[in-house]
């Protein structure tokens, strides 16, 4: 028998950086500074990500583009792969993302589908949610308690 179901997600919208909890505000400020270092000559769209580990260490990433377009990588994956390389057994607490076109983007820029999938791998691995904050260059910030809120029906290793 067919069964229609619904999923709902919880997310919080903050109007400005000033409203964020201290730890998140500080991490988002790092993401914003990192965004400015993006290498994005083709799209001119800059993204910065900052990952906070449970031991307090922070790893950052900015999008890295390439003349062979698919060879580039998003900021979130640059950051999370760096964190996992340097501290493979440390749990990831939080990731902050800020993205903007040349004219300052005012709406929240959410991680792309491929980044959600990549981030979800570490959440599954550590069996603990990763808190996500994302924003444009300015304006509102969206927060979810877990990557799973951004990626329903995610694919994980238990399916293999
Ligand atoms: N980009 C990111 O870095 N993160 C995302 O989640 C979305 C897109 C980058 C990829 C590319 O360099 C540029 O933004 C435009 O798509």
């Amino acid at each position: 028998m067919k069964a229609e179901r619904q999923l709902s997600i919880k997310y919080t919208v903050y109007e400005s950086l000033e409203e964020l909890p201290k730890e998140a505000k500080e991490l988002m400020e790092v993401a914003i500074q990192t965004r400015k270092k993006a290498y994005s000559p083709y799209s001119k769209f800059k993204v910065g990500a900052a990952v906070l580990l449970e031991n307090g260490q922070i790893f950052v990433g900015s999008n890295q583009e390439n003349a062979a377009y698919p060879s580039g990588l998003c900021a979130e994956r640059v950051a999370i792969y760096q964190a996992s390389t340097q501290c493979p057994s440390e749990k990831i607490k939080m990731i902050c993302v800020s993205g903007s076109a040349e004219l300052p983007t005012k709406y929240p820029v959410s991680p792309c589908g491929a980044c959600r999938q990549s981030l979800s791998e570490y959440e599954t691995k550590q069996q603990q949610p990763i808190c996500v904050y994302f924003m444009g260059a300015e304006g509102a910030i969206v927060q979810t308690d877990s990557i799973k809120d951004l990626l329903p029906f995610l694919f994980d290793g238990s399916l293999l």
Side-chain angles (χ1 to χ4, degrees):
M1 267 251 284
K2 88 168 186 183
E4 196 172 271
R5 301 195 177 116
Q6 274 196 328
L7 284 172
S8 69
I9 64 158
K10 189 195 89 177
Y11 65 98
T12 304
V13 183
Y14 295 89
E15 271 182 30
S16 74
L17 272 179
E18 309 316 309
E19 287 181 2
L20 295 184
K22 186 170 177 286
E23 197 172 54
K25 179 173 181 278
E26 285 173 7
L27 196 67
M28 187 59 92
E29 278 163 352
V30 175
I32 289 168
Q33 289 313 314
T34 305
R35 189 190 77 227
K36 296 172 185 166
K37 299 178 191 158
Y39 176 64
S40 54
Y42 305 105
S43 73
K44 311 265 197 290
F45 193 83
K46 291 176 182 274
V47 184
V51 170
L52 175 67
L53 305 186
E54 282 208 330
N55 67 3
Q57 275 187 269
I58 291 173
F59 290 93
V60 297
S62 62
N63 52 326
Q64 300 296 312
E65 296 188 349
N66 193 284
Y69 292 175
S71 302
L73 198 61
C74 291
E76 296 89 325
R77 277 176 282 169
V78 172
I80 201 116
Y81 292 158
Q82 177 70 1
S84 179
T85 301
Q86 300 285 351
C87 299
S89 23
E90 201 63 37
K91 288 187 175 168
I92 297 159
K93 200 169 170 184
M94 189 187 292
I95 180 166
C96 287
V97 180
S98 167
S100 185
E102 282 184 295
L103 285 176
T105 300
K106 293 185 173 131
Y107 56 84
V109 173
S110 59
C112 77
C115 285
R116 294 176 200 199
Q117 179 64 33
S118 297
L119 295 168
S120 79
E121 179 74 24
Y122 298 97
E123 201 170 79
T124 304
K125 177 185 171 218
Q126 69 183 30
Q127 296 182 300
Q128 196 173 293
I130 299 170
C131 181
V132 185
Y133 288 84
F134 58 87
M135 69 178 295
E138 52 194 62
I141 301 114
V142 173
Q143 181 266 341
T144 64
D145 291 339
S146 163
I147 311 289
K148 290 191 175 66
D149 291 320
L150 297 174
L151 191 64
F153 296 109
L154 67 86
F155 185 86
D156 70 23
S158 68
L159 301 167
L160 295 174

